[in-house]
Amino acid sequence: MIGLIGLSSLLVGCQTQPIAESGPGLNPSQLQALVAASNWEGIAAATSIQCSEASDLCAEAHAIHADACLRLAIQLPAGASATGGQTRKLLDKAESGYRRALALQPSSDSPRIASYHGGLLLTLSERRNRLDASVREKQLDRENQKLLTAAEEARARVPDSALGFIYGASALLYHALLKESGSDRCQGLAQAATMLKRSPKPPDELVDEQQRLQTLIQRSQRESDCASSR
């Protein structure tokens, strides 16, 4: 499957193709043939994945489907809102696919688990970040809470991975910035900073994101005058 990091690198230089609204259900062999042909649109259009037993094969099949949907969603214009249209459909299918992959993965020691968690976290983050200005604060917070919960689950299942810590810090920071400046915001910012400090060493592909979050947390603490509120 295309892991979280591999997926990001494969997006570079890709052209967005028309995406079919729906297609037939696919079995693992059909999925692999479409992967070999780089037919991500065909994979994303599948109405179902015909593999439901707890096995490496079925878990990977659902993750491949999720990868294709997330890949195409990320390729859509930055202004494409996650509240409707093709972006929402793709992100919903990606979320469902990664959750199914995690549920079907039989071994808790499989290295693929981190990749599945990474895909789910990236999907939830992408949806949250694409919510448009018309969305009410409660919905923003609800989508962010889904990311925070998924990050907690990732830390529990793959504690040696930085994924759950970095995305957890992102969710805590986002939640803090929804609040008015003051002690409530400062408490959330401090929690986000602590989460980053607890993180294992991230892979090279996440170093910039870790640094970006750290810089934003520190700047927000200064702007909110958090030093004097402690």
Side-chain angles (χ1 to χ4, degrees), residues 4 9 36 63 67 105 129 157 211 224:
L4 170 71
S9 63
D67 283 344
Q105 177 57 50
N129 294 343
R157 294 193 69 182
Q211 293 176 344
S224 298

Side-chain angles (χ1 to χ4, degrees), residues 123-141:
T123 299
L124 296 176
S125 177
E126 186 74 12
R127 178 189 286 131
R128 181 200 65 183
N129 294 343
R130 282 178 178 264
L131 291 174
D132 59 41
S134 66
V135 173
R136 295 183 178 181
E137 183 175 312
K138 285 186 178 179
Q139 184 175 347
L140 291 171
D141 203 22

